[in-house]
Structures are given as structure tokens and as C-alpha cells.
Amino acid sequence: MSHTLPGDWSRWRTEVDLDSYDERWSRMAAAGQNPHGEADLVASYEPSAVLDGGCGTGRVAVELARRGMDVVGVDPDPDMIAAARAKAPSLRWLTLGLEDLELAARFDVVVLAGNVVPYVAPTDRAAAVAACARHLGPGGRLVAGFSLQGGWPTLADYDGWCAASGLSPEDRWSTWSRDAYTGGSYAVSVHRPL
């Protein structure tokens, strides 16, 4: 069981104030932009139960719950979970790495928004994807979006971990708004059980 967050995550956390981080989304909404692209995409699948893996401060999970879904949020960072719990104390929040995930529940969608996959410790990434796959119910989807940059997982890496976990690709976009993926620095991937 790994409890060490990777260096990229630790560096990011030392540079980011959680209150300022959350204000980013409020500023987007105030400027007329949609801060809920991830929730919109997840909701398009009409799930009743969603696991928000690497939920951070709970933005996506809280919005999905507001739309009537049963949501569980999981993140290994206790400060992030505390912030999420403060926003929505009635939701289930777990301080846990995805690689250690062992819940009785199964979900229609497991969403990994932001850069969840790269921020999992490199030695735990395959196990984290496998755990997400195990928590999908029949017909469920694993939806993950992350940046593509040097030293981080490639799409081939991620697709390989999904395949090893019994998942096959369904869709891939360059944004949560479903813009076509033709290469670039960000991808949103959807995989389903074989």
C-alpha cells in the first residue's frame, strides 16, 4: 500500500493555495465560461452512481451530486478531502489512493478529471487503473483526462494499463467538450469493459 504522493504532485501542492485554486472555477463562471465540462460529459452517460477518483477539493463530485447522482469522492491528499468535505459534508469522501481502492460498490462511471493519472506514483499507475476497472458496474465507463507532457504517462501507457485491466477504448477527445483529438497536449479517454 503506497502512501507517498509523487514529486510532481508534491511540488504542485506547495505552490497552490486551495482557496485560490477553488476561486479559479468561480472566476470562470463569473466570466460566462462553463466550469463544469467534466460533469457535463459524465452526466451525458446518464449514470446513477459515479466514483470521482482523485476528486481534489470536490468540484466535480459536488456538481454531479447536485445533478442527482450518487457520488463517492476519493483522493490521497487529506487537505483536499477536508476541503471537499467542508463543501458537501453529506457526500462520502475517502482519503485513499486509487491503487488501494476496495469498495463494495460498483459505479456506472469512474471519472479521473484533471491530471489524476500522472499524479499517481509511477509504480502505482497500473494498479490504480486496475482498481478503477474493478469498480465499474456492467456497461460502466472509465473516463480520464490528463495532460501529455514529458515524463508523464503517454496515451499508449494509459491504453496499455486499461487493456491489462480488461478495458477497451470507446472514445478519445482533446477536451471535456468532446472536441476531436488529433494530437496535442491534453486528452480525455473513455474505456469500457471488454
Side-chain angles (χ1 to χ4, degrees), residues 16 20 38 70 79 96 106 130-131 181-182 192:
V16 173
S20 298
E38 302 97 332
D70 181 21
D79 294 334
L96 190 66
R106 295 299 174 260
Y181 181 77
T182 57
R192 299 186 77 174

Side-chain angles (χ1 to χ4, degrees), residues 3-16:
H3 295 287
T4 303
L5 292 167
D8 284 344
W9 174 257
S10 298
R11 279 189 296 282
W12 183 85
R13 279 292 282 119
T14 60
E15 297 169 2
V16 173

Side-chain angles (χ1 to χ4, degrees), residues 49-70:
V50 178
L51 175 69
D52 184 0
C55 65
T57 62
R59 178 181 57 88
V60 175
V62 170
E63 178 62 17
L64 292 171
R66 188 190 69 74
R67 298 182 190 197
M69 292 162 229
D70 181 21

Side-chain angles (χ1 to χ4, degrees), residues 117-120 125 146-149 151-158 161:
V117 173
Y119 283 142
V120 172
R125 289 174 183 153
F146 59 91
S147 295
L148 304 168
Q149 62 185 35
W152 280 20
T154 65
L155 291 176
D157 293 332
Y158 181 69
W161 298 324

Side-chain angles (χ1 to χ4, degrees), residues 9 23 39 54 61 76 82 86 134 154 171 193:
W9 174 257
E23 287 170 8
R134 285 194 308 273
T154 65
D171 284 305

Side-chain angles (χ1 to χ4, degrees), residues 98-99 117 120-134 142 153 157-158 160-167:
L98 290 173
E99 67 278 5
V117 173
V120 172
T123 56
D124 294 330
R125 289 174 183 153
V129 171
C132 290
R134 285 194 308 273
L142 174 59
D157 293 332
Y158 181 69
W161 298 324
C162 286
S165 302
L167 302 177

Side-chain angles (χ1 to χ4, degrees), residues 165-179:
S165 302
L167 302 177
S168 63
E170 180 179 63
D171 284 305
R172 177 160 286 142
W173 300 289
S174 64
T175 66
W176 290 91
S177 301
R178 297 185 183 186
D179 294 321

